[in-house]
Amino acid sequence: KQEVTQIPAALSVPEGENLVLNCSFTDSAIYNLQWFRQDPGKGLTSLLLIQSSQREQTSGRLNASLDKSSGRSTLYIAASQPGDSATYLCAVNSRGSNYKLTFGKGTLLTVNP
Amino acid sequence: ETGVTQTPRHLVMGMTNKKSLKCEQHLGHNAMYWYKQSAKKPLELMFVYSLEERVENNSVPSRFSPECPNSSHLFLHLHTLQPEDSALYLCASSQEGGRWGQETQYFGPGTRLLVL
């Protein structure tokens, strides 16, 4: 059974700092890994999707890496802004699970002005 | 309206009530999903519909009954719920519901449910 762990559970940084969020998964046989953002009381917004054959994806100030063999992914946020404050969720789509995404519990990020 | 919408946004119900959650997607997608997000727990998939056919029921109790009358609408009918069913219920959609999970899922804002 796939399990996804996100560390740290919460992170508070000053504005402008570069930061890294971590995600690990137990079963390396995955199709893809996704990073989502969730604002308080709201739904999820997809940030980046990395296919199993890829090593990284970039979108603006965000860069996500994937090391499938070690079961790890990182989300790098450059020059953080208060508007980046949200919960960041990692989810993997595993072989044999078809539509089922397995989510981590998320990292609550607070960027202080 | 664009994207994925959900109504109501907030719902309080007693354990003997019957209520329904509604989801509508305006993206022309063929697959729709119900997720449950409880406090301190990871997001859990409940149901998946592809082309109006249920293709996944993730061991969900029968007090939750989904309905997908067409590819744009998805309902979750609730009856005789328990307090532990209180959670944020999220709807999502994707283009094809592709077998190999290649797609991005687009989420609605959720319905915050409180069962008393």
Side-chain angles (χ1 to χ4, degrees), chain B residues 33-83:
Chain B
Y33 310 72
W34 279 118
Y35 285 89
K36 176 182 179 182
Q37 188 175 36
S38 304
K40 309 294 185 185
K41 290 184 179 180
L43 203 65
E44 299 173 81
L45 179 67
M46 300 175 73
F47 300 104
V48 181
Y49 278 82
S50 179
L51 295 172
E52 300 144 50
E53 177 183 347
R54 191 189 310 179
V55 294
E56 177 79 18
N57 178 345
N58 199 28
S59 302
V60 179
S62 60
R63 58 185 183 269
F64 295 91
S65 175
E67 178 190 2
C68 187
N70 55 62
S71 60
S72 298
H73 293 86
L74 185 64
F75 294 89
L76 188 62
H77 304 300
L78 316 172
H79 63 97
T80 60
L81 294 192
Q82 305 297 312

Side-chain angles (χ1 to χ4, degrees), chain A residues 29-72:
Chain A
I30 65 170
Y31 292 129
N32 60 53
L33 181 146
Q34 299 184 51
W35 283 94
F36 294 86
R37 168 186 173 139
Q38 185 174 28
D39 292 285
K42 296 189 178 180
L44 279 64
T45 301
S46 180
L47 298 173
L48 292 164
L49 184 155
I50 311 176
Q51 303 293 356
S52 62
S53 59
Q54 298 176 319
R55 300 284 285 185
E56 65 177 342
Q57 282 284 345
T58 298
S59 176
R61 294 182 294 107
L62 305 180
N63 177 277
S65 68
L66 174 64
D67 184 342
K68 196 173 65 167
S69 60
S70 67
R72 295 177 188 276

Side-chain angles (χ1 to χ4, degrees), chain B residues 25 27 33 42 62-64 85-87 96 106 110:
Chain B
Q25 58 95 0
L27 301 168
Y33 310 72
S62 60
R63 58 185 183 269
F64 295 91
D85 297 322
S86 298
E96 300 287 342
Y106 296 83

Side-chain angles (χ1 to χ4, degrees), chain A residues 5 7 14 20-21 34 46 50 59 61 64 76 83 86 89 101-102 109:
Chain A
T5 303
I7 295 173
V20 174
L21 306 180
Q34 299 184 51
S46 180
I50 311 176
S59 176
R61 294 182 294 107
Y76 175 83
L89 297 166
L101 290 174
T102 303
L109 173 65

